[in-house]
């Protein structure tokens, strides 16, 4: 807020305290380098997960797609608001990203979960003699 008022050239009766949007905040606080690092991180995540998404089993893809949708929604919301200034929101985005990367690296973590089926008295394991 101190810098904005120093360089204010307009005579409007209102004043701006900060940029409204995470990307503008990144640009004003971190400069072009800060914004470039942010865009690079988003691009790197996308280029790492999406190619693996095409080749992974359907069950794993159905888990990774909602994770990426949640991240995309928050990144889209960050264009007009500064929700990533809230630590809980950043934690959720990082958690969704970590889960998406982990499942993209090893889709078997999700794909093998179909072997345990819910039964009326507990889990049912296919091929088990007690079933």
């Amino acid at each position: 807020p101190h810098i904005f008022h120093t360089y204010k050239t307009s005579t409007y009766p209102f004043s701006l305290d900060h940029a409204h949007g995470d990307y503008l905040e990144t640009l004003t606080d971190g400069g072009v380098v800060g914004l470039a690092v942010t865009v690079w991180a988003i691009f790197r995540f996308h280029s790492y997960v999406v190619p693996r998404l095409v080749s992974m089993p359907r069950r794993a893809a159905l888990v990774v797609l909602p994770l990426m949708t949640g991240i995309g929604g928050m990144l889209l919301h960050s264009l007009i608001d500064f929700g990533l200034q809230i630590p809980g929101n950043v934690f959720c985005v990082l958690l969704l990203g970590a889960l998406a990367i982990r499942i993209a690296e090893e889709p078997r973590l999700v794909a093998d979960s179909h072997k345990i089926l819910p039964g009326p008295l507990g889990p049912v394991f296919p091929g088990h003699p007690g079933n």
Side-chain angles (χ1 to χ4, degrees), residues 119-131:
L121 301 176
V124 177
F125 300 93
H128 189 269
N131 291 334

Side-chain angles (χ1 to χ4, degrees), residues 100-131:
I101 289 172
R102 182 66 178 122
I103 294 170
E105 287 176 346
E106 199 169 341
R108 174 175 62 90
L109 293 171
V110 176
D112 286 348
S113 65
H114 72 280
K115 292 182 180 174
I116 301 174
L117 305 173
L121 301 176
V124 177
F125 300 93
H128 189 269
N131 291 334

Side-chain angles (χ1 to χ4, degrees), residues 28-113:
T28 59
D29 294 349
V32 175
V33 173
L35 184 62
V37 168
T38 302
V39 171
W40 175 82
I42 294 168
F43 174 76
R44 185 69 180 111
F45 171 78
H46 184 271
S47 65
Y48 185 81
V49 175
V50 170
R52 287 166 175 77
L53 186 65
V54 176
S55 63
M56 70 177 55
R58 185 169 187 256
R59 181 178 291 255
L62 289 175
V63 172
V64 173
L65 279 174
L67 295 172
M68 291 187 65
T69 302
I71 294 169
M74 192 62 180
L75 295 178
L76 185 63
H77 181 258
S78 293
L79 287 171
I80 58 171
D81 201 0
F82 42 94
L84 292 178
Q85 299 293 323
I86 301 168
N89 291 347
V90 175
F91 176 76
C92 287
V93 169
L94 291 175
L95 180 64
L96 294 177
L99 288 171
I101 289 172
R102 182 66 178 122
I103 294 170
E105 287 176 346
E106 199 169 341
R108 174 175 62 90
L109 293 171
V110 176
D112 286 348
S113 65

Side-chain angles (χ1 to χ4, degrees), residues 2-22:
H2 306 293
I3 295 173
F4 273 29
H5 297 295
T6 304
Y7 295 101
K8 181 179 176 185
T9 58
S10 67
T11 57
Y12 291 115
F14 62 88
S15 65
L16 298 173
D17 293 348
H18 55 85
H20 288 273
D22 282 325

